[in-house]
Amino acid sequence: MSWVSVGHVRDLTPGEGRTFVVDGHQIAVFLLPDGSVRATTAVCPHRGGPLADGQIDSDVVVCPLHQYAFAFESGLCTTGEVEPVPIYAARLQDEAIHIRV
Amino acid sequence: MTRRRLLVIGNGMAGARTVEEIIHRGGKEQFDITMIGDEPYGNYNRIMLSHVLAGEATIDDDDLLLNPMSWYRDNGVTLYAGDRATRLDRFAKYVRCESGRSVSYDTLIIATGSTSFFPNIDGLRASDGHLMKGVFGFRNIEDTNGMLQMAHSRDKTHAVVIGGGLLGLEAAYGLRTQGLTVDVVHSPSYLMNQQLDERGGNVLRREIEKLGIAVHTGARTTSVHRDAADDVTGVGFADGTDLPADMVVVTAGIRPNTEFARAGGVIVERGIVVDDHMRCEDESAIYAVGECVQHRGEVYGLVAPVWEQAVTLADHLTGANPDAAYHGSRITTKLKVAGIDVAAMGVKGPERDDDEFVQFYEPSTGVYKSVVVRDGKLIGAMLLGDVSKIGYLSQAFDDKVPLPEERISMLFDLGGPGETTGAMELADDAQVCNCNGVTKGAIVDCVHRGASSLSEVIAQTRAGKGCGSCKNLVGDIVACAAGGTLEPDPAADYYVPCIPLTKPQLIAEVRDRGLRSVSAVFADLAVDGKEDATAKMPLASLLRIIWGPDWADERGALFINDRVHANIQRDGTFSVVPQMKGGVTTPDQLRKIADVADKYNVPMVKVTGGQRIDLLGIKKEELPRVWEDLGMPSGFAYGKSMRTVKTCVGSDFCRYGLGDSTALGVELETRLQGLESPAKLKMAVAGCPRNCSEALCKDVGVVAVGSGWEIYLGGAAGAHIRKGDLFTTVETPDEVLLLCGRFVQYYRENAKWLERTYDFVPRVGLDTLKSVLLDDSEGIAAELDARLQLSVEGYRDPWLERAAPRSPAQFASALPLLPLPRVPVR
Ligand SMILES: Cc1cc2nc3c(=O)[nH]c(=O)nc-3n(C[C@H](O)[C@H](O)[C@H](O)COP(=O)(O)OP(=O)(O)OC[C@H]3O[C@@H](n4cnc5c(N)ncnc54)[C@H](O)[C@@H]3O)c2cc1C
Ligand code: SF4
Ligand code: SF4
Ligand code: FES
């Protein structure tokens, strides 16, 4: 496991997500209103929806396709019996987004 | 740790559920899971086949599929669908399939279920053992499709169903619903003799006959008659009589599929013999589960025991619960048979002199209930037509609640508080939905996790999605759990759950405080100032209604469709619908659309129900260029907003036309285009009461009647069908524009989020709408008109954002490069 820089936080506005590809991993990165970042696998475990297109708050991302919500903390689905989404540690360093993969 | 290879034979309800339970217990870490199933699909809800046959569901319904193919992929389960396991070598530990494939295992689970039993009747099977044409079992999708095809292949089809048990009655009901003439032939003296006593069987018979199905009991079928072309012409009985028939459905019982196990040397009696861990007798690595097993001498034919077995097996294999053991199931049958509620458990009648026996029988309503009590314990019960006491009775049957002194109150709620107490009394582990194995606890959990409506709970837990007999009980439990039945829940009127204000209160606060962004609304008004992802879309909509173009656009506040002004599709691509006001287009527009479709290799070009052209399958990053090349404004086919005004040709061309519906439709769309609203708005204008543009079932519909124009409100023809209410009749198109606009503004300001007009109009009441909007009883008409005018003037084609994206991520691909569910290219 190591931290990898994937892009610049200026590529996002608060509440938005964006997909990055790191080492063959498809990772959705979200910028929270408090300025921190979160990362999950880009593919919704339900039916493969694009999670980066989902809406978020400080706790969850809501998939745009069928509105299942997944917790950033644990990856667990908070609204139904869907498999958890794999999550990644994410942090900002000098405005660069770092993901641990 | 290397993972053990787990192989499951049979991808039906038991096999797939067991795998689901294993994964649920973290089993993916322990096992590499492979499944072999001879049906060429994922796992589906067999029980729903009854609904499919009756035309109440279709083969591709989401409800039917319990585990679609993607589930296996997503969970790392290798599924060989459409292949049949034929040989088991339990010493070398591998299984050989019909395709020649062989699969090795460390642990094997046999879940082969059962098949229809075909008794010895001449003319059923050909000499090679295959079913002859016109003969069907009722077990799988193939059988069901076969029956449906035959049913529709000619006009007057006559079906004879052999066997009057659960399956037979379901088959008869389904075929009858498809319009066939149906006879049920049953050799015992009354229907469903396994579950019911004679009186119960007779009550059921009368209900079945009311459906137009003929019933013949005590009739043993001996032959199927065929003509020279081998087509079925009738069936013959032991007493020498016969019945005409074009098709024969055999539902004379089921037999466990044990051949695979038996040939491999596993011990089989009536079923595959298993112990309390579901392990096959004398085997260390082979288990069996489902209808194919025999446990303590019992073979089950319903799904509830299958769920219990699956849980035990998963607990045992994963080590999640080392003490897990299956002790057999006490069967409480609770079914909807041919639309009639039937429940039965334990013994059918008194067996000893001092058994208490309480019966209620009301022939006129088809209600029959009985209970048998021995030594103060419930040992049997039967309910037909009214199963409201089933929750209580099944608990009493499990010894979980004491019996009342007054035995008759086990059958009725005598002055008591009614059925909801039944729901309240139920223990958490009581199974409510037998078909999908859902307990009361799971339903209550679901509500506590935030599901606020019955339909949400049903969608999330699947409770009620099988035979449907538990829906009322599920509703009661949801109501109890939500605490909503006794006290009205004030939260029900909040516009969004995290802000304790109704919509009018919220609008007033937003205006007073000048809140223009969603984050400001959260900060000022939400509980603890905390954001809630699901509240963002409704709040953004509300701010746009209040402030028009002057709201503070925050990207994160908008749902993806509203961020990129296109409708997201199941594969993550988007659909692009340019505006075509009133459905009127020009050769030039069509040429442009065709060019764009070519240039971007658009997989599907489709004419929509709203009289426009939809380009489906556009990638997000291509949207700005597509808009540029089209050079047409957005048609708003994606938003909670005014969508289209559908028109007929009207007086310009139509020989019946009484008014220029096209011109008025175009004007109406021009005025109201793009307005955000609580839910989508679809409108139509018709040139005469022939109503070719279907104006009577639109949110707003306008019909020319010669002397003027009628305005209808609250119609729908989508998930709900509703004829619009006649609001008023006016003389001029200008009045139409004014009043439609006024209604739309009132709806925008007062409807709940996602409340369509077909709910809003009846909720508010047509009279109120008339008095407020026509007679101006509240003196707000002028304000409504003025606020609408502001919004109208604030309209700006969102596709112009192509020139200057709102954020760097706006048109960045969110689509992973993985193969997602693909939309087929036509
Ligand atoms: C029309 C209908 C209505 C029903 N209604 C109800 C109801 O209302 N309530 C209720 O409780 N129950 C009902 N049932 C019964 C319920 O569907 C069964 O109890 C349940 O499906 C049993 O699950 P199972 O996994 O043991 O068997 P199945 O679901 O039959 O699964 C077995 C699977 O194994 C496959 N298979 C068999 N042999 C092999 C092999 N050698 N290689 C590979 N694959 C193999 C089969 O093709 C099948 O897909 C109904 C059944 C039918 C057909
Ligand atoms: S609704 Fe009337 S005017 Fe319009 S096309 Fe039909 S018949 Fe003609
Ligand atoms: S387009 Fe409408 S009706 Fe068709 S599948 Fe989608 S939601 Fe259902
Ligand atoms: S694909 Fe994400 S919720 Fe369905």
Side-chain angles (χ1 to χ4, degrees):
Chain A
M1 295 286 246
S2 61
W3 291 94
V4 182
S5 162
V6 297
H8 209 278
V9 70
R10 275 187 314 229
D11 287 344
L12 286 167
T13 64
E16 256 183 325
R18 190 166 181 154
T19 301
F20 296 96
V21 182
V22 190
D23 271 4
H25 300 260
Q26 314 267 350
I27 302 179
V29 176
F30 303 90
L31 178 60
L32 268 50
D34 69 4
S36 61
V37 284
R38 299 284 185 277
T40 68
T41 294
V43 190
C44 176
H46 177 230
R47 301 237 179 122
L51 284 178
D53 280 343
Q55 286 186 284
I56 62 162
D57 54 30
S58 51
D59 301 325
V60 299
V61 52
V62 181
C63 177
L65 287 197
H66 311 96
Q67 280 73 45
Y68 281 111
F70 301 89
F72 288 129
E73 196 62 36
S74 60
L76 293 178
C77 177
T78 57
T79 52
E81 306 280 308
V82 176
E83 285 290 287
V85 68
I87 49 171
Y88 295 87
R91 67 179 186 207
L92 283 181
Q93 226 164 32
D94 302 333
E95 302 211 319
I97 302 166
H98 286 245
I99 306 290
R100 196 162 62 184
V101 285
Chain B
M1 186 175 95
T2 54
R3 291 182 298 175
R4 284 180 289 158
R5 293 162 300 176
L6 175 67
L7 175 61
V8 182
I9 309 298
N11 180 33
M13 299 184 77
R17 179 65 168 249
T18 306
V19 170
E20 238 181 59
E21 297 286 349
I22 287 174
I23 290 175
H24 198 67
R25 288 163 179 70
K28 272 201 272 188
E29 309 292 315
Q30 302 176 31
F31 297 106
D32 248 336
I33 306 175
T34 303
M35 303 189 72
I36 299 173
D38 65 357
E39 294 189 77
Y41 348 81
N43 169 42
Y44 59 93
N45 188 346
R46 214 166 281 289
I47 296 168
M48 292 277 290
L49 292 180
S50 305
H51 299 298
V52 173
L53 189 63
E56 297 153 3
T58 62
I59 294 292
D60 35 74
D61 261 350
D62 262 10
D63 291 0
L64 182 70
L65 274 179
L66 294 171
N67 307 82
M69 287 297 194
S70 57
W71 180 88
Y72 298 84
R73 211 164 45 232
D74 296 349
N75 286 288
V77 174
T78 309
L79 169 66
Y80 298 118
D83 201 359
R84 192 175 169 71
T86 47
R87 221 186 113 214
L88 163 64
D89 186 327
R90 60 196 226 284
F91 302 106
K93 291 197 168 179
Y94 75 88
V95 166
R96 173 93 65 192
C97 301
E98 205 161 54
S99 65
R101 168 184 290 128
S102 78
V103 185
S104 301
Y105 65 83
D106 299 310
T107 304
L108 179 70
I109 298 177
I110 305 176
T112 46
S114 39
T115 34
S116 311
F117 167 66
F118 293 91
N120 243 335
I121 295 174
D122 289 343
L124 275 190
R125 289 190 189 271
S127 48
D128 65 356
H130 274 89
L131 284 184
M132 291 177 70
K133 66 179 166 180
V135 178
F136 301 90
F138 191 15
R139 180 73 195 175
N140 51 34
I141 288 185
E142 203 187 330
D143 298 334
T144 313
N145 270 340
M147 283 191 268
L148 285 172
Q149 262 166 29
M150 176 114 194
H152 295 149
S153 66
R154 53 170 116 194
D155 259 354
K156 286 190 181 150
T157 311
H158 189 147
V160 170
V161 177
I162 301 177
L166 158 70
L167 281 184
L169 296 179
E170 291 279 89
Y173 173 70
L175 292 171
R176 180 69 195 141
T177 315
Q178 299 289 347
L180 276 64
T181 309
V182 182
D183 286 89
V184 174
V185 179
H186 192 50
S187 61
S189 58
Y190 59 91
L191 293 178
M192 275 186 78
N193 55 300
Q194 301 233 354
Q195 290 86 1
L196 302 180
D197 64 8
E198 183 156 6
R199 171 164 282 159
N202 288 334
V203 171
L204 185 61
R205 175 187 189 134
R206 262 187 301 280
E207 296 302 309
I208 297 285
E209 285 170 342
K210 278 189 204 157
L211 300 169
I213 297 169
V215 178
H216 314 264
T217 48
R220 197 163 61 80
T221 315
T222 51
S223 59
V224 174
H225 304 322
R226 292 178 181 274
D227 63 14
D230 255 359
D231 285 328
V232 173
T233 56
V235 293
F237 302 108
D239 63 3
T241 57
D242 35 34
L243 272 175
D246 305 308
M247 65 189 279
V248 176
V249 181
V250 182
T251 48
I254 53 174
R255 291 292 177 271
N257 287 325
T258 54
E259 243 344 275
F260 167 79
R262 188 200 309 270
V266 177
I267 294 179
V268 172
E269 290 172 6
R270 281 194 301 140
I272 304 169
V273 180
V274 295
D275 66 13
D276 289 358
H277 289 144
M278 309 309 295
R279 194 194 303 256
C280 297
E281 196 156 291
D282 295 340
E283 298 294 333
S284 56
I286 306 181
Y287 296 81
V289 63
E291 282 189 352
C292 60
V293 310
Q294 172 180 331
H295 174 263
R296 298 192 185 177
E298 288 288 335
V299 175
Y300 297 98
L302 290 170
V303 85
V306 172
W307 300 146
E308 293 178 40
Q309 296 173 357
V311 167
T312 308
L313 180 51
D315 274 343
H316 172 74
L317 283 180
T318 57
N321 172 7
D323 300 330
Y326 176 66
H327 300 296
S329 301
R330 296 192 81 179
I331 292 290
T332 54
T333 313
K334 190 181 62 178
L335 302 164
K336 229 186 175 73
V337 186
I340 300 152
D341 284 315
V342 177
M345 61 195 81
V347 302
K348 296 194 272 187
E351 293 170 343
R352 298 188 193 156
D353 281 351
D354 51 359
D355 281 351
E356 296 171 56
F357 187 42
V358 186
Q359 268 181 307
F360 171 82
Y361 174 40
E362 193 175 59
S364 63
T365 55
V367 173
Y368 173 57
K369 312 182 186 193
S370 73
V371 289
V372 187
V373 176
R374 179 180 299 164
D375 301 331
K377 291 206 162 80
L378 182 67
I379 61 163
M382 199 176 303
L383 301 172
L384 238 111
D386 167 15
V387 293
S388 54
K389 293 298 281 182
I390 178 69
Y392 168 77
L393 287 174
S394 45
Q395 293 218 55
F397 186 61
D398 289 341
D399 279 342
K400 286 193 177 134
V401 288
L403 302 188
E405 277 305 308
E406 217 178 349
R407 301 291 197 230
I408 186 82
S409 62
M410 294 162 68
L411 297 181
F412 299 98
D413 290 309
L414 295 175
E419 192 172 321
T420 37
T421 19
M424 215 126 71
E425 283 162 2
L426 276 183
D428 264 0
D429 62 352
Q431 185 143 307
V432 174
C433 173
N434 282 344
C435 298
N436 287 318
V438 187
T439 59
K440 175 184 168 188
I443 296 172
V444 172
D445 265 4
C446 182
V447 173
H448 289 165
R449 276 202 315 266
S452 52
S453 68
L454 177 59
S455 48
E456 244 175 276
V457 172
I458 291 180
Q460 289 183 21
T461 61
R462 292 181 188 278
K465 273 196 171 174
C467 70
S469 65
C470 62
K471 266 202 186 135
N472 287 340
L473 186 56
V474 175
D476 290 338
I477 293 173
V478 171
C480 282
T485 42
L486 305 171
E487 291 168 43
D489 181 6
D493 291 327
Y494 298 161
Y495 180 64
V496 288
C498 62
I499 301 177
L501 296 172
T502 64
K503 184 166 177 176
Q505 292 168 335
L506 181 57
I507 293 181
E509 288 289 338
V510 165
R511 283 219 176 91
D512 280 359
R513 299 174 186 235
L515 305 174
R516 285 171 193 262
S517 73
V518 169
S519 57
V521 174
F522 280 126
D524 264 34
L525 300 174
V527 179
D528 299 332
K530 204 167 157 10
E531 302 205 343
D532 172 0
T534 54
K536 290 187 173 182
M537 190 180 179
L539 288 175
S541 161
L542 191 71
L543 292 182
R544 293 199 290 170
I545 288 172
I546 299 174
W547 303 115
D550 297 330
W551 84 296
D553 178 327
E554 287 169 337
R555 294 281 92 196
L558 294 168
F559 181 60
I560 185 65
N561 285 4
D562 298 316
R563 277 187 222 168
V564 303
H565 317 294
N567 197 350
I568 192 164
Q569 305 293 306
R570 57 182 291 217
D571 61 351
T573 64
F574 290 83
S575 103
V576 168
V577 181
Q579 186 178 53
M580 266 178 201
K581 288 178 189 168
V584 181
T585 181
T586 62
D588 189 39
Q589 281 187 340
L590 292 175
R591 227 171 267 126
K592 274 192 196 154
I593 291 174
D595 288 343
V596 165
D598 274 344
K599 177 167 171 188
Y600 294 91
N601 278 322
V602 172
M604 176 144 93
V605 182
K606 188 174 181 318
V607 175
T608 70
Q611 298 187 333
R612 309 163 325 157
I613 294 179
D614 192 350
L615 300 161
L616 291 131
I618 308 272
K619 297 197 191 74
K620 191 174 165 198
E621 54 279 22
E622 284 176 348
L623 288 170
R625 277 180 290 137
V626 168
W627 298 336
E628 176 76 49
D629 290 344
L630 283 171
M632 297 166 67
S634 165
F636 287 91
Y638 43 80
K640 302 298 171 210
S641 58
M642 215 298 281
R643 292 279 179 91
T644 56
V645 181
K646 191 170 173 174
T647 66
C648 71
V649 290
S651 54
D652 263 7
F653 286 91
C654 176
R655 64 188 197 280
Y656 299 111
L658 300 171
D660 190 347
S661 47
T662 317
L664 179 52
V666 171
E667 254 187 285
L668 196 58
E669 184 161 347
T670 307
R671 183 160 175 76
L672 302 180
Q673 60 190 346
L675 287 184
E676 40 289 299
S677 48
K680 62 186 169 194
L681 278 171
K682 297 181 177 178
M683 310 193 175
V685 184
C688 82
R690 286 176 187 73
N691 193 23
C692 294
S693 52
E694 297 152 356
L696 293 191
C697 51
K698 292 284 185 276
D699 295 288
V700 175
V702 180
V703 181
V705 288
S707 56
W709 303 85
E710 290 177 340
I711 302 178
Y712 291 84
L713 300 179
H720 293 258
I721 310 269
R722 182 174 192 273
K723 179 172 179 285
D725 297 322
L726 178 58
F727 174 57
T728 183
T729 308
V730 294
E731 280 173 22
T732 64
D734 282 344
E735 288 169 278
V736 171
L737 293 174
L738 178 78
L739 289 176
C740 290
R742 192 179 289 167
F743 166 73
V744 166
Q745 186 63 19
Y746 186 73
Y747 168 67
R748 295 197 325 146
E749 294 180 10
N750 291 285
K752 298 178 187 167
W753 176 239
L754 300 185
E755 183 178 32
R756 290 287 303 267
T757 62
Y758 57 71
D759 285 327
F760 176 72
V761 169
R763 175 168 71 85
V764 174
L766 188 63
D767 291 340
T768 310
L769 288 175
K770 283 182 179 171
S771 98
V772 174
L773 303 178
L774 298 175
D775 310 334
D776 198 11
S777 60
E778 292 179 12
I780 59 169
E783 294 165 30
L784 287 171
D785 296 346
R787 287 199 289 267
L788 179 78
Q789 187 59 31
L790 272 182
S791 293
V792 168
E793 286 163 10
Y795 164 81
R796 184 169 181 275
D797 172 23
W799 285 2
L800 296 175
E801 273 172 25
R802 62 186 172 242
R806 293 279 190 149
S807 90
Q810 184 175 12
F811 298 111
S813 169
L815 250 198
L817 311 168
L818 302 172
L820 295 182
R822 297 236 181 155
V823 174
V825 177
R826 280 168 220 260

